[in-house]
Amino acid sequence: MTITDSVRSALEVDDKVESHLNPPGSFAVSDNPVPTGREEIWRFTPLKRLRGLHADAEFNRSTTSCTWNSQAGVRVEGVIGDEARALRGISGLVPNTRFAARVLAEVPTSLLIDVPAESELADPIVVELVGEDATNTEAGHVAMRFGAHSKAIVVINHAGSASMAAVVEIVVGEGADVTVVSIQDWADDAVHLAHHQALVGRDATYKHAAISFGGDVVRMDANVTYDGPGGSAELLGLYFADAGQHIEHRIFADHNAPRTKSNAIYKGALQGEKAHTVWVGNVLIRKVAEGIETFEENRNLILTDGCHADSIPNLEIETGDIAGAGHASATARFDDNQLFYLQSRGISEKESQRLVVHGFFNDLIRKVGVPSIEARLLATVEAELAKNVLKEDR
């Protein structure tokens, strides 16, 4: 495991190594106990539905196909042996969950995406993961390296049936401009347990979009730390939970360098009996992180009865010299005033509801910044609405 001196010194300031928002970690699997559900970071997750991925289920030979498009000058390939082992922890990740520690210790291969310095990719790198067997528990590790002053977009698409534990590590070089989009559009029987960790370089710009529609249980942690001052991270999330689905997103923005920025916006909609979403936003501002700016926002729209949304923003501030910090959270049903306005102009109730939902998501979808993805998301939102809210109109 490698970690830069600047990150190490920030983590060790005043002998306070970790925040209570993000428990201490270890590469040793034995140091990460099997969760019971009473732990703060696991209390919302339905452990019995994870098929043992959180514990000691065997990581079998993968039945999920993995393909990608080629880009001139970019290395995208599976690596093994010493090269794969050298990639474990390149983002500064020290796993604090058993599944992440097991992935780093037990998975023999890594998918490496290596973008050279100064490169500017005209098209996104798209990785397609398509599962074939939800009864097969498997795991994977992805390492992305973006050289200084490079500009690139990476999209990871998840589809089909699978039970997968995954760790994705992202290193954004100095002055680089990087977007990573992870789309969880699994079949209804899939389970996905993932940890994404990014290290953002000096004056670099990083955007991460987590988009979850399918799957029986999807839980994703999206974390970010900084490798120097001036780095900026935008953490976006969009999710739509149907009956019986559990979709859980957690972020941790660790401001361990001065004049860094983070902005998190997650929006979700719920419909159907026992649809459950969880969003936990954790931001730590360390003593060394003077002059930082951060804001986190979560909005949930309840479309039918029988749904439940948990939303918990957290801020831990260790310095008074900050440019700004705040958070917002709201969970509500359709806005009666918006519906009345639309219906008073001759629009039907169902069409009014459809327009309100699209309006709820549209500003966030535009922030993704990938036109092909934006069009796909609008179509997916429409398909989700047809399952319940617009069902009577079909």
Side-chain angles (χ1 to χ4, degrees):
M1 191 273 290
T2 60
I3 185 169
T4 62
D5 291 339
S6 60
V7 173
R8 186 186 303 280
S9 61
L11 294 176
E12 293 176 349
V13 63
D14 293 341
D15 296 322
K16 182 171 182 178
V17 178
E18 294 289 346
S19 162
H20 79 279
L21 302 177
N22 202 46
S26 171
F27 283 91
V29 174
S30 59
D31 290 340
N32 294 277
V34 175
T36 64
R38 293 187 294 272
E39 302 85 358
E40 177 60 31
I41 65 171
W42 288 103
R43 66 188 179 99
F44 294 109
T45 310
L47 300 181
K48 292 181 180 180
R49 294 164 59 183
L50 293 180
R51 301 179 184 142
L53 290 175
H54 66 296
D56 294 314
E58 185 176 359
F59 291 155
N60 299 307
R61 182 181 178 88
S62 177
T63 58
T64 297
S65 65
C66 181
T67 59
W68 53 83
N69 60 329
S70 59
Q71 296 275 351
V74 178
R75 183 185 178 197
V76 185
E77 65 176 310
V79 298
I80 61 174
D82 291 341
E83 185 173 14
R85 285 188 288 272
L87 295 172
R88 310 302 161 95
I90 61 169
S91 63
L93 169 65
V94 181
N96 61 9
T97 59
R98 191 175 184 89
F99 87 86
R102 289 189 61 212
V103 169
L104 297 186
E106 299 176 20
V107 176
T109 63
S110 293
L111 176 62
L112 172 63
I113 299 174
D114 210 351
V115 179
E118 309 290 341
S119 299
E120 185 169 341
L121 305 188
D123 299 308
I125 298 170
V126 181
V127 179
E128 299 281 355
L129 294 166
V130 181
E132 298 179 358
D133 184 2
T135 67
N136 182 55
T137 50
E138 56 187 281
H141 178 254
V142 180
M144 305 182 193
R145 293 189 301 213
F146 301 91
H149 305 289
S150 62
K151 185 174 183 179
I153 297 171
V154 176
V155 179
I156 306 177
N157 284 320
H158 301 89
S161 297
S163 293
M164 179 181 292
V167 172
V168 178
E169 299 191 67
I170 302 140
V171 179
V172 183
E174 179 178 341
D177 184 353
V178 171
T179 296
V180 175
V181 182
S182 181
I183 302 175
Q184 291 66 246
D185 198 10
W186 294 107
D188 291 342
D189 58 356
V191 173
H192 187 193
L193 198 55
H195 184 112
H196 289 208
Q197 184 81 32
L199 180 63
V200 180
R202 184 186 187 99
D203 297 325
T205 300
Y206 169 65
K207 181 188 294 183
H208 182 275
I211 300 162
S212 298
F213 291 104
D216 179 52
V217 178
V218 173
R219 169 177 161 147
M220 176 182 288
D221 293 15
N223 295 6
V224 60
T225 59
Y226 300 86
D227 195 24
S232 176
E234 187 172 24
L235 306 176
L236 307 176
L238 187 153
Y239 48 90
F240 207 129
D242 292 324
Q245 272 189 295
H246 177 94
I247 297 178
E248 182 169 345
H249 287 280
R250 291 170 173 265
I251 67 166
F252 180 61
D254 186 352
H255 286 272
N256 58 330
R259 300 185 304 283
T260 51
K261 296 180 180 180
S262 67
N263 184 49
I265 306 174
Y266 275 66
K267 288 189 174 185
L270 300 85
Q271 62 180 4
E273 190 69 24
K274 295 185 178 179
H276 185 202
T277 64
V278 177
W279 179 83
V280 180
N282 294 328
V283 175
L284 170 64
I285 304 170
R286 297 183 183 270
K287 288 185 179 180
V288 297
E290 297 178 347
I292 71 97
E293 294 182 49
T294 182
F295 193 82
E296 52 181 342
E297 176 183 355
N298 178 230
R299 307 286 182 184
N300 296 292
L301 186 59
I302 304 295
L303 304 180
T304 67
D305 293 333
C307 307
H308 183 76
D310 289 294
S311 179
I312 304 174
N314 295 305
L315 276 172
E316 185 174 358
I317 304 173
E318 297 182 349
T319 176
D321 185 7
I322 58 176
H327 57 68
S329 172
T331 299
R333 296 183 179 274
F334 284 113
D335 188 312
D336 290 336
N337 289 330
Q338 291 178 344
L339 293 177
F340 175 78
Y341 177 85
L342 293 168
Q343 290 178 66
S344 69
R345 279 148 180 80
I347 301 173
S348 70
E349 180 182 4
K350 292 295 182 182
E351 179 65 9
S352 297
Q353 292 173 340
R354 187 186 74 84
L355 292 173
V356 168
V357 173
H358 275 282
F360 175 74
F361 282 127
N362 270 352
D363 61 335
L364 179 59
I365 289 174
R366 287 196 298 268
K367 289 180 182 293
V368 173
V370 184
S372 60
I373 298 298
E374 294 174 6
R376 174 182 172 183
L377 293 181
L378 289 171
T380 303
V381 169
E382 190 72 17
E384 291 290 334
L385 287 172
K387 293 178 182 179
N388 204 314
V389 173
L390 304 180
K391 190 175 182 179
E392 296 175 8
D393 287 343
R394 291 189 300 171

